[in-house]
């Protein structure tokens, strides 16, 4: 072998090593982006599910399959203020009146989030046995 052949092999090894290092760095960056943005996608999907549930529940305020159990839907909201709402509805469409309450927890529950005003949103379902008589 000649001297130029050894230089060619050495140069090829150096260039190949540099390409391999670039490839490893690219793989690390792609993995890191997958973890970072994958978490954000999961959070966004969960947010969409919560919003869909809220829309579904609020759309059913005052609804009951057996309409005689909630004769006046305008009276279906039992209480509402800036941190909670409680209303009558038929959650499982079985003709029985249910009570649904949404409320915000205290700010002290979520102390590790960056936003100090973050709060938990709670949903409480209650089965009611109401007997409403309509006098005609």
């Amino acid at each position: 072998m000649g001297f130029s052949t050894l230089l060619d092999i050495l140069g090829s090894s150096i260039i190949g090593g540099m390409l391999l290092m670039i490839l490893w760095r690219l793989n690390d960056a792609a993995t890191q982006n997958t973890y970072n943005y994958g978490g954000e996608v999961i959070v966004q999907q969960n947010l969409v599910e919560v919003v869909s549930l809220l829309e579904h529940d609020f759309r059913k305020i005052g609804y009951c399959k057996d309409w005689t159990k909630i004769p006046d839907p305008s009276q279906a909201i039992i209480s509402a203020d800036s941190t909670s709402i409680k209303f009558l509805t038929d959650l499982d469409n079985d003709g029985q009146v249910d009570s649904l309450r949404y409320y915000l927890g205290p700010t002290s529950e979520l102390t590790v989030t960056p936003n100090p005003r973050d709060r938990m949103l709670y949903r409480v379902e209650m089965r009611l046995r109401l007997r409403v008589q309509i006098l005609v």
Side-chain angles (χ1 to χ4, degrees), residues 30-119:
T31 303
Q32 184 178 7
N33 284 338
T34 299
Y35 284 127
N36 289 342
Y37 295 121
E40 289 181 12
V41 167
I42 291 170
V43 168
Q44 288 176 357
Q45 288 172 342
N46 290 342
L47 182 62
V48 167
E49 289 299 319
V50 168
V51 168
S52 296
L53 179 66
L54 280 167
E55 286 177 350
H56 178 264
D57 288 345
F58 283 3
R59 191 176 25 235
K60 290 183 81 172
I61 292 176
Y63 166 77
C64 186
K65 184 177 181 180
D66 182 7
W67 67 272
T68 60
K69 298 203 177 170
I70 306 178
D72 186 7
S74 67
Q75 301 296 318
I77 297 178
I78 298 169
S79 65
D81 60 24
S82 62
T83 59
S84 70
I85 183 169
K86 185 175 183 180
F87 54 89
L88 299 176
T89 186
D90 184 5
L91 289 173
D92 45 7
N93 204 23
D94 63 352
Q96 297 296 320
V97 177
D98 304 315
S99 171
L100 189 59
R101 179 178 181 225
Y102 280 98
Y103 67 97
L104 295 174
T107 55
S108 61
E109 286 181 335
L110 298 174
T111 58
V112 295
T113 61
N115 186 352
R117 295 179 304 213
D118 283 345
R119 294 173 156 192

